[in-house]
Amino acid sequence: MKRAGFDKIHFANRFAAIKIHFGEAGNLAFCRPNYIKVIVDQVRANGGDAFLTDCNTLYVGKRKNALDHLATAYENGFTPFSTGCHILIGDGLKGIDDVSVPVNGRYVKEAKIGRAIVDSDILITVTHFKMHELVGVGGTIKNIGMGCGSRAGKMEMHSSGKPTVDQNVCIGCGSCVKNCAHNAITVTKKKAAIDHAKCVGCGRCIGSCPVDAAQPDFDAAFEITCHKIVEYTKAALSDKPAFHLSFLCDISPFCDCHSENDIPVVPNIGILASFDPVAIDVAATDLVNNQKVTAGSILDGKKTTGDYFHDVHPTTNWRAVTDYAVEFGLGSDKYELIEI
């Protein structure tokens, strides 16, 4: 961290958000809490104050609201006693506490970023580098872009349309009606319905629904989703210094959002640190692709192309993220690897 310039950041009397993934209950591949404590200690040594953060998930699971999210974090060892700091869920109790951040991207004009992340003075990202079934690489850009988006923001990245209500699940409680600012939702015979002519796609009904009846269509094309993630990343990083750490260990073939994890695809490599979110992802990807496949892993015994990420998830193209990130001014795909 120090060799990469961490101490050059002005931390004195400032709040540093440490953006991590707490791991889904049952998953063991996430970054360990004792590593996080080292980062927290360095922030405090520089006069700053740190908190851990992530935003709620869009899918049904154990991190879809702040209470479940905190319980999962504690279960996985992320307590104030183990990490030395508190946790603030970025988009609040129901995932609807966000701020519209102008980004003027190709697809996103205003990104919906979790309020606690926007309110922070410094952003430190800690990524468990892995493969990912949606974007190929679960790296720093994915951690920031998708991770810092509120539930409504995640809906915008995943969907090109507007949410709908599953009538079979809806209980007619009216919570979605109370949270709709555009009078787009009505409840008839204890079933809610969304008028897409009035709906603006804010996604607050998704966060407020207690039974997950309001859902996005998950219909955005792959490349568009990748580009939206980049645009959300730039919004989350705007107007504040940011430092990135990527842990190349327990490199699993699937996202930490799974309630399980498979044998690491390659052996542990190490930890990368950089101020450039694009360079650190490209360097991490190159390092993984230069390793031998782990015996017993998902790629063991299979013919590979040299791009393990595409081999595991052939419908993805991770370069759609990094190429657009370069074009969008997020960073550079050129890097110098300094070994310590």
Side-chain angles (χ1 to χ4, degrees):
M1 289 169 63
K2 291 182 177 180
R3 284 287 299 273
F6 185 82
D7 292 345
K8 295 178 181 179
I9 300 173
H10 176 62
F11 282 101
N13 302 314
R14 304 175 82 188
F15 293 111
I18 301 177
K19 168 63 182 74
I20 65 172
H21 190 307
F22 296 111
E24 195 68 58
N27 188 293
L28 298 174
F30 52 84
C31 292
R32 298 296 182 262
N34 53 309
Y35 293 132
I36 305 303
K37 188 176 189 307
V38 175
I39 301 167
V40 173
D41 289 346
Q42 289 301 310
V43 171
R44 291 205 169 138
N46 282 278
D49 206 354
F51 65 93
L52 307 186
T53 192
D54 195 8
C55 287
N56 293 305
T57 59
L58 184 59
Y59 59 84
V60 178
K62 292 189 176 181
R63 293 182 299 117
K64 67 174 183 176
N65 63 67
L67 297 184
D68 288 346
H69 208 150
L70 286 170
T72 299
Y74 294 153
E75 182 179 336
N76 286 342
F78 296 94
T79 71
F81 308 104
S82 62
T83 64
C85 72
H86 293 288
I87 297 172
L88 294 177
I89 300 304
D91 55 348
L93 178 62
K94 297 181 179 179
I96 59 178
D97 188 12
D98 55 28
V99 177
S100 293
V101 179
V103 65
N104 198 31
R106 183 179 298 170
Y107 301 101
V108 179
K109 302 306 177 185
E110 290 187 342
K112 303 173 184 68
I113 305 297
R115 185 175 296 277
I117 295 168
V118 174
D119 286 346
S120 67
D121 304 304
I122 300 161
L123 185 62
I124 301 168
T125 70
V126 181
T127 300
H128 168 232
F129 192 78
K130 54 198 167 290
M131 298 178 175
H132 197 279
E133 51 273 36
L134 175 65
V135 294
V137 167
T140 296
I141 296 174
K142 171 66 166 54
N143 181 24
I144 302 171
M146 189 63 75
C148 290
S150 65
R151 292 194 85 192
K154 289 179 173 65
M155 186 201 75
E156 182 175 29
M157 285 180 272
H158 281 294
S159 176
S160 59
K162 298 174 181 179
T164 55
V165 176
D166 186 338
Q167 300 287 309
N168 295 320
V169 177
C170 178
I171 59 175
C173 67
S175 177
C176 54
V177 176
K178 295 176 183 177
N179 283 275
C180 181
H182 302 277
N183 298 317
I185 306 176
T186 56
V187 176
T188 305
K189 295 183 179 179
K190 295 185 178 182
K191 298 294 179 181
I194 300 173
D195 182 350
H196 284 181
K198 295 180 179 179
C199 174
V200 298
C202 73
R204 294 189 181 277
C205 55
I206 297 173
S208 64
C209 181
V211 293
D212 298 301
Q215 288 290 327
D217 292 331
F218 293 98
D219 60 347
F222 160 76
E223 187 172 283
I224 293 176
T225 298
C226 290
H227 290 182
K228 287 180 178 179
I229 289 172
V230 170
E231 292 169 359
Y232 261 73
T233 299
K234 192 163 187 178
L237 295 175
S238 64
D239 300 326
K240 66 185 64 181
F243 186 85
H244 313 292
L245 291 159
S246 189
F247 284 71
L248 278 65
C249 54
D250 298 321
I251 302 169
S252 48
F254 302 104
C255 181
D256 292 349
C257 296
H258 284 238
S259 59
E260 80 292 323
N261 53 281
D262 203 357
I263 295 173
V265 179
V266 299
N268 291 349
I269 298 170
I271 307 168
L272 298 182
S274 176
F275 285 100
D276 189 324
V278 184
I280 197 171
D281 271 358
V282 175
T285 306
D286 289 345
L287 284 167
V288 169
N289 283 333
N290 287 331
Q291 302 298 310
K292 290 184 178 180
V293 171
T294 304
S297 71
I298 197 170
L299 283 178
D300 186 25
K302 295 183 179 180
K303 185 177 181 180
T304 60
T305 64
D307 184 348
Y308 294 158
F309 300 86
H310 183 70
D311 292 336
V312 173
H313 301 292
T315 60
T316 67
N317 173 21
W318 61 269
R319 293 189 182 277
V321 172
T322 55
D323 287 350
Y324 183 61
V326 173
E327 178 186 339
F328 200 54
L330 196 59
S332 173
D333 57 359
K334 305 294 188 296
Y335 63 88
E336 177 187 3
L337 194 64
I338 302 171
E339 296 188 11
I340 300 175

